[in-house]
Amino acid sequence: MSSTLLAAPGENLTAFDILLWVALPYASIATFLVGHYWRYRYDKFGWTTRSSQLYENRLLRLGSPLFHYGILLVIVGHIVGLLIPEDWTESVGISDSVYHACSAGLGIVAGVATLAGAAILIYRRRTTGPVFSATTGNDKIMYVLLIGTLLLGFGTTVFNNANNHPHHYRETVSPWFRSILSFRPDTDLILAAPLGFQLHVIAAWLLFAFWPFTRLVHVFSLPIGYLTRPYIVYRSRDRELGSRPEPRGWERIR
Ligand code: HEM
């Protein structure tokens, strides 16, 4: 075939494609990593959820676990769907149709829980006076990016699975995502995905870039030190058990 008819991979990319599918992902990853380092170095005391539990507890007790357990399931789904290549799941006997049925089922349960939790938390934030007063401009931008990413991801999943010929994102979005992580971006792959998937991914990169400057830093506050910290040492107040003599001036009042 003539070489003029066959475009080499990446040959037809515009500057805008490179901006969206190469520059944006790397700028976002760099800002995410350096931003967290900077925030930890210079704003250790601001590394907090800025909890509003003191102001309102009833709605928080319902919305918060729904949102957090839902998003944990969403994260597990993304790790499996984006990082595990299709031929790996096929080689252990999971057919494409079984994979898609499980991913759609779990994805929709996870998405509904996350969005329902988020709806309760936002309703609470808007209607509880002191919680609303404690909401900053930064929080509002964060909520728009977070909810935008969630709605675009969930909407895409629902529409895609309602379609008779669903798009196989494990042949486009997932290998593209891995090509970014391996520093060999293959932009043709993401350009082959439907618009809904592309918008979801752009929203996610914007969210990741803004993340280190928001309350979302609390995600990286696991009490890992608990695993290695010394046990709490209990000392008896019983005088007879202590072997050291009482220092002068510190004698017990009897
Ligand atoms: C660059 C990073 C990301 C990529 C490449 C990506 C890719 C995808 C893809 C391909 C799907 C469709 C799955 C399906 O149809 O079964 C999806 C669904 C979804 N995504 Fe993402 N995503 C990213 C980041 C995020 C983030 C940061 C969030 C949350 C804030 C999120 C929330 C969702 C939700 C809620 C769904 C619906 C399915 C579910 O509930 O798990 N995504 N995403």
Side-chain angles (χ1 to χ4, degrees):
M1 211 179 284
S2 145
S3 60
T4 48
L5 289 179
L6 251 185
E11 202 171 71
N12 295 325
L13 297 181
T14 63
F16 192 59
D17 293 334
I18 307 278
L19 185 74
L20 274 188
W21 306 115
V22 183
L24 176 64
Y26 286 120
S28 167
I29 293 171
T31 313
F32 186 86
L33 296 176
V34 177
H36 276 93
Y37 174 76
W38 169 84
R39 178 91 187 260
Y40 190 72
R41 270 308 295 270
Y42 297 104
D43 185 27
K44 225 175 249 180
F45 290 114
W47 194 283
T48 162
T49 59
R50 283 198 287 105
S51 170
S52 54
Q53 188 176 13
L54 269 177
Y55 304 133
E56 198 280 345
N57 200 20
R58 195 178 53 88
L59 286 171
L60 186 71
R61 270 207 332 247
L62 181 65
S64 181
L66 248 184
F67 175 80
H68 285 94
Y69 285 117
I71 200 93
L72 276 178
L73 205 53
V74 170
I75 292 169
V76 172
H78 279 68
I79 291 173
V80 175
L82 297 178
L83 297 183
I84 299 183
E86 201 173 8
D87 24 319
W88 290 21
T89 44
E90 262 162 28
S91 69
V92 292
I94 303 173
S95 70
D96 204 41
S97 50
V98 169
Y99 177 88
H100 268 280
C102 292
S103 109
L106 278 180
I108 286 168
V109 169
V112 167
T114 314
L115 282 167
I120 295 171
L121 292 177
I122 289 172
Y123 170 78
R124 164 185 182 270
R125 197 156 273 280
R126 188 64 197 87
T127 54
T128 314
V131 182
F132 186 56
S133 307
T135 307
T136 63
N138 178 303
D139 291 336
K140 288 176 191 158
I141 300 173
M142 183 272 286
Y143 273 116
V144 168
L145 288 174
L146 179 67
I147 303 301
T149 310
L150 284 170
L151 284 175
L152 284 164
F154 186 69
T156 304
T157 300
V158 171
F159 277 115
N160 195 40
N161 285 292
N163 195 322
N164 280 338
H165 302 287
H167 176 73
H168 287 205
Y169 64 88
R170 288 204 301 162
E171 288 160 16
T172 57
V173 185
S174 308
W176 168 77
F177 185 74
R178 294 196 296 273
S179 81
I180 290 288
L181 296 186
S182 61
F183 296 106
R184 276 179 303 198
D186 187 345
T187 306
D188 288 335
L189 287 169
I190 185 76
L191 289 177
L195 183 66
F197 286 88
Q198 296 180 346
L199 292 177
H200 170 57
V201 173
I202 293 172
W205 290 126
L206 295 177
L207 174 67
F208 285 136
F210 196 51
W211 192 296
F213 314 105
T214 66
R215 297 194 290 148
L216 293 179
V217 291
H218 78 268
V219 170
F220 303 106
S221 313
L222 287 176
I224 291 172
Y226 272 45
L227 295 175
T228 52
R229 68 161 196 194
Y231 298 117
I232 296 172
V233 180
Y234 292 96
R235 292 190 201 281
S236 169
R237 283 175 151 267
D238 190 340
R239 214 153 60 85
E240 271 68 52
L241 291 179
S243 56
R244 255 201 268 158
E246 281 166 347
R248 203 159 60 87
W250 290 92
E251 293 86 4
R252 281 181 163 228
I253 298 160
R254 285 173 245 268

